[in-house]
Amino acid sequence: MSDTHASHPFHGRVEDHRLVTGTGKYAADWNLPGQLYAAFVRSDRAHAEIVSVSTGNALKHPGVKKVYTGKEALAAGFTKYFVLVNWPGRGGQHIIKPPRPMLAADRVRHVGDALAMVVADSALAAQDAAELVEVEYRDLPAVVHAEEALGSGAPLLHPEAPGNLAYDYESGSEEAVNAAFAQAAHVTRLKVEISRVAPNPMELRGCTARYEPKDDTYHLYTCIQGINMMRRQFAAIADIPEEKVVVHAQDVGGSFGQRSAAYPEYVMQALASKELGRPVQWISSRAEGFNSDTHGRANTVTGELALDRDGRFIGLRLDWIADMGAYLSATGSASHTRNPSACMTGVYKIPALYGRFRLAFTNTVPVAAYRGAGRPDAAFVIERLVSQAAFELKMDPAELRRKNFIPKDAFPYKTPTGSTYEATDLHGVLERAVKFADWKGFAARRKKSEKAGKLRGLGIATVIENTGAGMFNKDQVEIEVNAAGEIHAYTVSHSQGQGHETTFGQIVADTLGVPQERVRIRQGVKVLFGNHTGGSRSTVGAGSAMKLAAQKVIEQGKSLAAEVLEAEPSQMDYSKGTFQVRGTRKKISLAELAKKRPFTVMGEGSFGSTFPNGCHITEVEIDPDTGVTEIVAYNAVDDCGNVINHTIVEGQVHGAVTQGAGQIFGEQVVYDRATGQMLTGSFSDYYMPRAGKLVRDIRMQDAPLPSINNALGAKGVGESGCTASMPSLTNAMMDALRPLGIASLDMPFTPAKVWHAIQASKK
Ligand code: MCN
């Protein structure tokens, strides 16, 4: 565990000086004396039995210390792993967790599946020797699409999971929905592919593992979202108590859900470190990352919305097929079942609802949480259905939304899937957005585009999502006011780019009324109870605990100051860093007090889910001759409760909108259906959104309605840009394309795909 601090003049984001001057410390910057290096031998095919692995030549390579194969991984007993879903699914069935050795032993199940690890005294020697490991395979047929994997006769990945079905989950009432559909005046149907994406954080994944024989502990120096999730997973795999796992990290160069896992590589490195008596480092390459870092989304969803004669929603049915890849990740199963089902009715009053979720194994990289973790997927389906229903009923899509919003007086609103939404101002947010985007002026803008030979579309999404409820039911923060007068605030949630040192520092400094330069945020240095950074919960959880802890500093400070000033605690006042005996001139600053009586306090609390919501209205312009699309307007009105720092919130929304737009217009992991090879394993083939080109001007307004579920009145914001941008931009695209008779088109809207659809519509 390590220290992050701000030891420079405060300008803007506290962490930026360190990060932009090359003095950050990332996974590859942890270099330990005597460390060895690991390289992994990965499957070059999608599905095959391993007939033999010959390590003789690799072992003879200079510098090689040891070569591990599946045999050693099995012997170590590392085949069990942690999965968030531990509740029964449909018919009381539990999720199927086939054993997974940390190196494939009898079979490889996806291109990139690691089957051997070479440990050598240099990274180069390890890599060269890895190429000398000879593997004999017996090829098996592969399946790379979830719907096909669940079909009859599909190749079977794990004998423990018949029909490749890992988990069958349901939410809501099938009976009630059937009854609603029987009475419907109109039904809108839609099948969508929410594509598989590769998160690609800037920092490559990596770890240095060190076994400490003195106290039998495993130390991981790696990129994380928080220490507790990593410790829990590693301990589950290695079958050791969590106390034996020590995680060290300082800066993390992006994660998006991908860096919460105790990946097999780390476990094997730790095993090697224990056996060889030296730390073992491994840093991924980008190509390796494409094939071994978890992917996101990858859902095929069929949705049906039933409406009555007045255009009111009376039922929603979702059939959700989620691709888990070859093995279950820790977070993927929850992200594709409970998460989307919690906000499955979106912002609408829909009395009857039923969702069935089937999780499939396929010969692809495992899927895990990815910015929004199922919630953008749920919003995508509902918001597309609503806009399509409006088109079919010849209604204004904003009007259909207004008509079906959960009414103001129905809050707190209990959804048919059991969530309780706290109060929101759906109408207020929509009206602001409609005005902000000049909804009424669209017809004229469309005409102008038409004159220029362009197709213009208007998209809207009104979304809500649950954030804030974590895996640990409590968040703790410790604040130490030391003898040097410094204020250190400790948390276990870990920033990966969200600017926590700035916002958490601000919360503590504002509560104490002291300059922010005096506050240091220290992440993952102490083991405390609490959640990792994910689910846009850090502000609600760790942030609230920061405030409570800072309030305790004042309380405890009053007692200590009273002792020093020979007064009663009840006589003490506190303001802007100074304690004063009421009605006298006797006073002492917090810093002076700490020099005499350094002290530490703990702030903690259990904070429930918050429900950030918003309305994003977008416009696109398509050049029909090339299929190239430009986002010509992006207007976002977001309610993320009380805003701690508007610049950071805006940055979060910009980043997430760009990420959503990336998926809608280009990002997609594509596997060849015949061979199971990844066709998009580098940045030459995999489109990453480019700043400035894709989303030119994201305009944003805050519409804060304070949350009542936490000490700050804040709601999470880190993912909302993804949740809203994906449906809004797709609705804009469909609005532009429908007049040509194009009923539906799946993401990504690449120029080629759009051009072909336009050409086909002319025939
Ligand atoms: N904030 C605020 N006022 C609010 C809400 C939040 O000022 N009302 C600030 C926070 O204090 C914090 C930031 O906005 O600095 C995001 O806060 P929050 O919504 O609590 O989300 P988390 O900090 O828990 O971040 C997690 C979220 C998730 S789940 C993903 S995925 C994600 C994301 O944030 N991955 C990111 N944003 C990312 N940003 C970067 N740069 N890199 C990633 O990997």
Side-chain angles (χ1 to χ4, degrees), residues 274-536:
K274 183 172 184 177
E275 287 187 4
L276 304 174
R278 289 164 68 178
V280 178
Q281 184 180 83
W282 166 75
I283 306 297
S284 163
S285 70
R286 183 61 69 183
E288 224 178 348
F290 267 107
N291 282 295
S292 64
D293 294 5
T294 55
H295 290 170
R297 314 250 194 268
N299 296 298
T300 306
V301 189
T302 306
E304 293 171 287
L305 180 66
L307 297 94
D308 70 11
R309 224 168 292 282
D310 300 324
R312 288 194 198 283
F313 305 158
I314 55 173
L316 176 68
R317 189 188 278 139
L318 296 180
D319 182 26
W320 197 291
I321 297 177
D323 190 345
M324 289 291 100
Y327 307 102
L328 291 178
S329 67
T331 53
S333 45
S335 295
H336 291 87
T337 52
R338 198 178 57 177
N339 250 17
S341 75
C343 47
M344 209 154 83
T345 44
V347 289
Y348 310 107
K349 188 172 178 190
I350 309 180
L353 176 86
Y354 179 68
R356 183 171 177 199
F357 302 78
R358 283 174 290 162
L359 308 188
F361 287 117
T362 63
N363 295 110
T364 61
V365 170
V367 171
Y370 173 64
R371 205 162 190 173
R375 304 185 308 261
D377 314 59
F380 185 79
V381 179
I382 299 155
E383 289 304 300
R384 283 213 53 198
L385 275 169
V386 173
S387 282
Q388 185 169 311
F391 173 77
E392 289 167 0
L393 297 172
K394 297 188 176 46
M395 276 185 77
D396 176 347
E399 194 46 41
L400 186 60
R401 283 172 168 81
R402 280 186 195 102
K403 196 179 204 102
N404 284 285
F405 277 163
I406 301 160
K408 213 167 184 169
D409 59 7
F411 290 98
Y413 177 73
K414 197 159 164 82
T415 72
T417 51
S419 296
T420 303
Y421 293 172
E422 58 181 327
T424 61
D425 180 13
L426 300 172
H427 286 274
V429 167
L430 177 86
E431 297 319 327
R432 268 179 78 163
V434 159
K435 206 163 152 206
F436 191 40
D438 184 20
W439 182 266
K440 285 192 184 137
F442 175 73
R445 293 194 293 278
R446 178 176 252 176
K447 273 216 176 81
K448 205 169 155 201
S449 297
E450 272 167 15
K451 272 196 193 138
K454 303 275 176 68
L455 305 169
R456 196 174 183 113
L458 175 67
I460 179 170
T462 39
V463 301
I464 191 161
E465 57 179 342
N466 48 309
T467 72
M471 187 171 116
F472 296 87
N473 62 5
K474 193 159 63 172
D475 284 286
Q476 291 181 329
V477 160
E478 210 172 270
I479 296 185
E480 178 188 298
V481 192
N482 69 20
E486 296 162 341
I487 300 161
H488 294 245
Y490 297 87
T491 170
V492 290
S493 76
H494 213 101
S495 185
Q496 312 120 40
Q498 293 90 347
H500 289 171
E501 284 168 72
T502 301
T503 47
F504 291 176
Q506 207 179 311
I507 293 166
V508 174
D510 287 354
T511 310
L512 293 176
V514 299
Q516 190 166 345
E517 293 93 317
R518 286 191 45 207
V519 180
R520 287 179 174 191
I521 300 302
R522 303 181 65 178
Q523 314 175 71
V525 185
K526 279 191 183 178
V527 175
L528 299 167
F529 211 71
N531 289 289
H532 71 298
T533 295
S536 300

Side-chain angles (χ1 to χ4, degrees), residues 223-286:
C223 32
I224 54 165
Q225 293 179 211
I227 58 172
N228 286 346
M229 183 70 166
M230 185 63 78
R231 295 173 77 224
R232 178 148 297 181
Q233 290 179 67
F234 188 94
I237 297 167
D239 198 16
I240 52 173
E242 279 178 41
E243 302 81 75
K244 297 284 176 196
V245 188
V246 188
V247 182
H248 308 254
Q250 185 176 304
D251 296 308
V252 179
S255 169
F256 313 111
Q258 198 188 57
R259 301 285 151 91
S260 66
Y263 282 90
E265 289 91 349
Y266 309 166
V267 183
M268 288 310 300
Q269 288 170 259
L271 175 68
S273 174
K274 183 172 184 177
E275 287 187 4
L276 304 174
R278 289 164 68 178
V280 178
Q281 184 180 83
W282 166 75
I283 306 297
S284 163
S285 70
R286 183 61 69 183

Side-chain angles (χ1 to χ4, degrees), residues 255-256 371 498 500 503 538-539 640 642 644-645 652 717-718:
S255 169
F256 313 111
R371 205 162 190 173
Q498 293 90 347
H500 289 171
T503 47
S538 310
T539 312
C640 63
N642 286 337
I644 310 302
N645 183 314
Q652 286 293 302
V717 78

